[in-house]
Amino acid sequence: LVIGQAGARRMEGLKGDVAIPKLSASVTNSAFVSENSAPSEGAATFAQVTMSPKTLAAYVDVSRKLMMQSDPSVEAVLRDDVINTFARKIDEVAIEGGSSNEPSGIIASSTGNVQALGTDGAAVAYSDLVDMVKLVEEDNAILNDASVKFIGNPKVTSKLRSTSKQASGVEGNFILGEDNRILGYDYLSSTLVPSDLSKGTGSNLSALIFGDFSQLMLGFYSGVDVIVDPYTGSSAGTTRLAFFQDLDIALRHDDAFSVCKDIVTT
């Protein structure tokens, strides 16, 4: 899905809580020295990005007659549907997240590089996207050029395709062109980018994300585990299919992203 297309890093087979080291302050004592002289001492400052398993789960009850009569197997159809649903939910929380029992995604975790448009939200302008890129570049946070992307939802996409770069509105000179690139970076669209945000008196506001998606970590502690339970609904002849997957999401460098959370698209 969209997070994978953008270049998020996957870590499989994790066990227990994980602490990923990162530099919170780089060495700053690099300098030219004269012959036979030593540089001043410097030390990097380290921090940790922690991950612990969060459980994504679902179940469905299937009647005995449906199991018996279905061809192809209804169990296989349901397995595929739930796995696809899980994938979309992982994308959703990786983009936003932060609700009860959920991992925190980009929008929930990025508190520093926020491009605000207005007290109650506002329409997005070309200069706002320039500033979103500037926020990340000022932090020297682009570490992998291939995974630097913009991601918006279809409402934002439509707005960008019909908004001119200049106030004069030169025909055809829209922010988002047919090549799906903005300021030289790829633009991706997903319905999982929220369009129901609020600010002040503004509602149904949309989000836009820019950043280096290689700094988004997806940690998986299991595959999709399926438990077939013929006992809970045995009196009615139903079979319960329960699905579980343990994972967590973390930003290795939250300054690798900038977000805009108050775009008016109507």
Side-chain angles (χ1 to χ4, degrees):
L1 295 174
V2 68
I3 291 300
Q5 293 177 44
R9 297 187 184 185
R10 292 174 60 95
M11 296 181 293
E12 308 279 354
L14 300 181
K15 302 292 183 183
D17 293 352
V18 176
I20 303 169
K22 72 171 185 177
L23 281 173
S24 58
S26 299
V27 174
T28 58
N29 68 320
S30 298
F32 289 97
V33 297
S34 61
E35 187 176 3
N36 296 325
S37 297
S40 60
E41 182 182 358
T45 303
F46 291 92
Q48 290 182 330
V49 177
T50 58
M51 304 179 79
S52 59
K54 314 289 191 302
T55 302
L56 178 60
Y59 76 85
V60 60
D61 290 336
V62 184
S63 71
R64 171 180 166 276
K65 188 173 291 187
L66 180 59
M67 291 281 281
M68 181 176 62
Q69 292 182 325
S70 61
D71 186 21
S73 168
V74 69
E75 181 180 342
V77 173
L78 286 171
R79 284 175 185 252
D80 288 345
D81 183 60
V82 171
I83 288 171
N84 288 330
T85 301
F86 272 23
R88 288 182 59 82
K89 189 63 178 179
I90 292 167
D91 246 17
E92 179 185 331
V93 297
I95 290 170
E96 185 175 15
S99 297
S100 178
N101 300 318
E102 285 184 354
S104 291
I106 296 170
I107 293 175
S109 300
S110 296
T111 57
N113 293 339
V114 177
Q115 179 68 20
L117 302 185
T119 304
D120 305 313
V124 66
Y126 185 61
S127 59
D128 297 315
L129 306 188
V130 173
D131 287 340
M132 289 180 70
V133 175
K134 182 186 73 173
L135 288 171
V136 177
E137 289 183 339
E138 284 180 335
D139 290 331
N140 295 313
I142 295 178
L143 304 179
N144 185 352
D145 289 336
S147 55
V148 180
K149 304 284 192 295
F150 281 96
I151 297 184
N153 61 40
K155 293 180 180 180
V156 172
T157 303
S158 177
K159 197 69 175 177
L160 295 175
R161 290 193 186 281
S162 57
T163 302
S164 297
K165 293 180 180 179
Q166 303 105 318
S168 58
V170 178
E171 183 65 29
N173 192 23
F174 300 120
I175 294 174
L176 182 61
E178 296 177 358
D179 61 352
N180 279 331
R181 291 174 68 83
I182 299 175
L183 295 167
Y185 299 106
D186 290 338
Y187 176 89
L188 302 176
S189 182
S190 171
T191 56
L192 300 175
V193 176
S195 59
D196 58 352
L197 303 175
S198 59
K199 183 180 180 183
T201 60
S203 60
N204 295 322
L205 305 176
S206 288
L208 178 66
I209 300 170
F210 170 79
D212 179 357
F213 282 83
S214 69
Q215 301 307 301
L216 176 64
M217 319 296 288
L218 306 179
F220 292 91
Y221 294 80
S222 72
V224 179
D225 298 327
V226 184
I227 297 176
V228 181
D229 174 12
Y231 306 109
T232 300
S234 60
S235 60
T238 60
T239 298
R240 174 165 295 181
L241 302 177
F243 303 83
F244 301 90
Q245 186 168 28
D246 289 281
L247 65 128
D248 200 7
I249 294 165
L251 302 185
R252 189 170 190 185
H253 294 285
D254 58 358
D255 54 3
F257 296 92
S258 60
V259 298
C260 181
K261 300 184 284 188
D262 57 347
I263 299 175
V264 174
T265 58
T266 55

